[in-house]
Amino acid sequence: SSGINAESGSSGINAEYGGILVVLHAGFSSAQHRTYLRLSELPYEGLPVDITAQCVIGFLMACYGITRVSGDFKDISATSDINKRTLDSLNNVPSFYHFAHRGRAIHSVLYN
């Protein structure tokens, strides 16, 4: 069970794409506003409130959509994963295995 039903998945995807479109529209509007200021030779005093609100609302929509699509959250505590493993497997880290090291050369010098 992935925790995603059809209704929450589709609403999440819609909110995610809608939020991305709102943020893109806010970016386009801010570029258009800067062009307007440059052509009218007015000083830049920041973005208008409506463009800033668009950006914040689009970001929140995208965050909501991502959390709805992502599925169930995992437990943060490390004990939930450690309790499932045996004691022998806790110290077994295959990524640290390294067989092409200087030990072979040192062994041949010392014992030959």
Side-chain angles (χ1 to χ4, degrees):
S1 158
S2 65
I4 301 175
N5 58 22
E7 185 177 313
S8 70
S10 66
S11 69
I13 289 174
N14 291 338
E16 185 178 348
Y17 287 142
I20 290 170
L21 287 175
V22 170
V23 169
L24 288 174
H25 183 267
F28 179 74
S29 297
S30 66
Q32 204 171 26
H33 177 70
R34 289 293 300 248
T35 303
Y36 166 73
L37 291 177
R38 206 172 292 128
L39 290 175
S40 61
E41 297 179 356
L42 294 172
Y44 178 74
E45 297 173 354
L47 288 175
V49 176
D50 61 335
I51 296 175
T52 306
Q54 272 185 13
C55 205
V56 169
I57 290 169
F59 174 73
L60 292 176
M61 281 176 63
C63 286
Y64 171 77
I66 288 170
T67 56
R68 297 290 289 187
V69 170
S70 66
D72 293 336
F73 291 111
K74 286 190 156 198
D75 192 13
I76 290 178
S77 68
T79 58
S80 64
D81 285 337
I82 291 176
N83 288 338
K84 298 174 189 173
R85 297 176 67 182
T86 64
L87 191 59
D88 293 332
S89 69
L90 288 176
N91 291 329
N92 186 13
V93 184
S95 62
F96 287 134
Y97 294 171
H98 187 64
F99 296 106
H101 51 76
R102 286 181 242 147
R104 188 176 298 154
I106 293 172
H107 184 332
S108 65
V109 169
L110 292 177
Y111 296 106
N112 287 338

